[in-house]
């Protein structure tokens, strides 16, 4: 358990709680399965938006058309590049904690949010493990739209999860062990 991550979660613990495990997701730019569809779509979107904008500027169309196009260019650039940067920044600011009573997820870019999940009441828990032992634990019923929106950071609609953690099976086993006790 790293001191910094444990220290950041300490203020969110009840007086009778102890941290059993803390962790952080993998840092940096990560490509997800949904990017097979999202990358080509975002490039197509951005290309069309840039085409619209430049055509509106060079053809003498009313300024409104160029102004309308710039909004879509900005959205397109965010879709192509920005979502990766925002996702990496969000994961860099995320800390996971496990106590004998709950799973704690602290995250946020501009503001900090705490999600607390009672271990005893979690009805559905699953994990995906990669060859290197890292992976993701999904807590609760999975939202079917998670796969399409992964990496876009719609936290309010996203199923709670401990993403891209090392030794995922070890953490999963700790959670299920606490549930049984």
């Amino acid at each position: 358990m790293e001191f910094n991550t444990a220290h950041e979660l300490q203020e969110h613990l009840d007086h009778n709680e102890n941290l059993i495990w803390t962790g952080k997701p993998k840092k940096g730019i990560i490509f997800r399965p949904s990017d097979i569809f999202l990358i080509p779509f975002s490039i197509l979107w951005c290309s069309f938006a840039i085409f619209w904008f430049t055509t509106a500027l060079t053809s003498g169309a009313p300024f409104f058309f160029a102004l309308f196009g710039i909004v879509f260019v900005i959205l397109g650039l965010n879709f192509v590049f920005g979502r990766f940067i925002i996702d990496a920044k969000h994961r860099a600011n995320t800390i996971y904690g496990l106590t004998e009573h709950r799973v704690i997820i602290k995250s946020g870019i501009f503001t900090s949010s705490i999600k607390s999940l009672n271990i005893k009441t979690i009805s559905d828990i699953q994990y995906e493990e990669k060859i290197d032992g890292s992976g993701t634990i999904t807590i609760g019923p999975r939202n079917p739209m998670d796969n399409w929106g992964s990496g876009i950071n719609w936290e309010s609609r996203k199923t709670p999860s401990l993403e891209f953690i090392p030794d995922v099976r070890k953490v999963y086993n700790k959670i299920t062990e606490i549930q049984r006790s």
Side-chain angles (χ1 to χ4, degrees):
M1 205 172 352
E2 285 185 38
F3 173 74
N4 288 343
T5 55
H7 181 71
E8 284 191 53
L9 291 177
Q10 204 66 40
E11 67 181 285
H12 303 288
L13 299 179
D14 292 337
H15 67 281
N16 62 341
E17 274 187 306
N18 297 305
L19 284 168
I20 297 169
W21 172 85
T22 62
K24 293 179 78 76
K26 182 179 176 183
K27 293 182 180 179
I29 302 293
I30 293 178
F31 294 102
R32 300 168 191 255
S34 60
D35 288 325
I36 291 170
F37 168 74
L38 289 175
I39 288 174
F41 179 78
S42 64
I43 291 170
L44 185 66
W45 172 289
C46 194
S47 299
F48 179 75
I50 291 169
F51 171 76
W52 171 284
F53 178 69
T54 56
T55 302
L57 282 179
T58 58
S59 69
F63 182 70
F64 171 75
F65 285 100
L67 191 59
F68 182 74
I70 195 71
V71 172
F72 288 96
V73 169
I74 292 168
L75 287 172
L77 291 172
N78 183 50
F79 209 24
V80 173
F81 303 108
R83 66 188 177 93
F84 293 108
I85 296 165
I86 292 167
D87 178 50
K89 183 68 174 163
H90 188 266
R91 280 183 288 100
N93 292 340
T94 298
I95 299 172
Y96 305 124
L98 178 63
T99 73
E100 56 276 335
H101 303 293
R102 59 193 172 128
V103 176
I104 302 168
I105 303 172
K106 181 178 181 182
S107 62
I109 296 176
F110 301 111
T111 61
S112 183
S113 81
I114 301 292
K115 184 175 289 273
S116 177
L117 304 158
N118 185 328
I119 287 182
K120 301 289 184 179
T121 61
I122 295 172
S123 62
D124 188 9
I125 183 169
Q126 59 186 341
Y127 74 96
E128 296 171 5
E129 184 176 21
K130 294 185 179 183
I131 295 170
D132 65 358
S134 68
T136 298
I137 299 173
T138 306
I139 303 168
R142 191 170 196 153
N143 182 343
M145 295 306 289
D146 276 356
N147 288 339
W148 291 104
S150 59
I152 300 180
N153 203 17
W154 291 324
E155 284 300 312
S156 61
R157 291 179 28 201
K158 193 173 177 189
T159 303
S161 59
L162 309 177
E163 287 189 310
F164 306 110
I165 58 172
D167 298 321
V168 69
R169 188 181 310 179
K170 184 176 157 185
V171 178
Y172 173 83
N173 289 338
K174 282 183 183 185
I175 293 171
T176 57
E177 180 184 315
I178 293 169
Q179 284 184 315
R180 286 190 299 265
S181 64

